[in-house]
Amino acid sequence: MLGLLLLRANRVVATSELLGALWPDENRPTTARKIVQNAVWGLRALFAEESAVDRGPELVTQAPGYMLRLDPEQVALHRFNRRVAEGRAQLSAGRPAEAARLLGAALEEWHGPALADLAEAGGDWPELTALSRLRLDVMEDRFEAELRSGHHYSVLGELVSLAEEEPLRERLCGQLRSSRRCRRTCRCSS
């Protein structure tokens, strides 16, 4: 439940969405709503302890469900999204070195798969799939920025590894071909 609330921080998550994310309809216990209410109670108690130390998250009831209020900078995903937007803006503005720095900083927010324990337990949320794809898109954006900056050699190893893991990503494979072509024909700055 906390994972879904964090993914949708500062937005209302309907109780029905929480129930659907936690249990498939056919396996939902009859006490599911009570379980969610107890979990909310427990999270509120935990957040109250944190708020005594500093301004921590707050879980509020707001029809038709709950909202986790917090500073977006406290959540790696939100910092990631902010840096991605900044990096992509720099890339569009023709500043690839700054774009590469910002996109690299965004990717440093990742420490393994998003909500890995949830995915391991069999949680199949569309948000998790979208996050995985977004991470790959951002990696390709960073490669593009590095290649535009002339850093072909410095990203070649990463490009090869990722292309082996994701052979169907056309943009990535194109970047790898471009990097290898440059490596054979020019003297790059790195």
Side-chain angles (χ1 to χ4, degrees):
M1 187 170 101
L2 179 58
L4 188 58
L5 291 168
L6 283 168
L7 286 173
R8 299 185 189 173
N10 299 314
R11 295 182 290 171
V12 175
V13 180
T15 302
S16 60
E17 289 180 80
L18 287 168
L19 294 171
L22 296 171
W23 299 279
D25 288 338
E26 64 276 1
N27 291 340
R28 188 170 300 150
T30 56
T31 59
R33 283 188 181 277
K34 189 64 175 169
I35 293 170
V36 167
Q37 290 169 347
N38 287 336
V40 166
W41 180 82
L43 287 172
R44 284 183 176 149
L46 178 69
F47 295 153
E49 291 174 19
E50 290 295 316
S51 291
V53 176
D54 62 3
R55 191 170 186 292
E58 178 185 19
L59 183 54
V60 297
T61 302
Q62 187 169 333
Y66 303 95
M67 178 177 18
L68 182 60
R69 287 188 188 147
L70 53 79
D71 176 2
E73 287 299 307
Q74 292 179 315
V75 180
L77 174 62
H78 298 288
R79 292 189 305 267
F80 170 80
N81 286 330
R82 180 181 49 78
R83 288 184 175 131
V84 167
E86 293 169 354
R88 286 177 170 170
Q90 293 295 318
L91 191 58
S92 293
R95 293 187 283 276
E98 182 62 11
R101 185 188 70 76
L102 288 164
L103 294 167
L107 290 165
E108 287 174 8
E109 294 290 346
W110 285 82
H111 304 284
L115 300 174
D117 54 342
L118 178 69
E120 188 176 301
D124 186 23
W125 295 353
E127 291 92 347
L128 298 179
T129 302
L131 284 174
S132 178
R133 287 187 186 135
L134 175 61
R135 180 175 182 257
L136 289 171
D137 291 343
V138 173
M139 292 175 82
E140 290 173 344
D141 290 343
R142 187 183 68 87
F143 290 143
E144 181 179 335
E146 295 285 6
L147 293 171
R148 284 189 193 178
S149 297
H151 301 149
H152 296 76
Y153 286 116
S154 65
V155 297
L156 184 58
E158 285 180 89
L159 274 167
V160 169
S161 294
L162 193 57
E164 287 174 357
E165 290 175 32
E166 301 288 339
L168 301 179
R169 292 191 64 97
E170 292 181 27
R171 181 180 178 203
L172 181 64
C173 291
Q175 289 172 329
L176 179 58
R177 283 191 300 276
S178 172
S179 179
R180 285 182 170 162
R181 194 169 32 251
C182 177
R183 185 174 171 210
R184 288 190 302 267
T185 62
C186 69
R187 292 191 178 268
C188 297
S189 62
S190 57

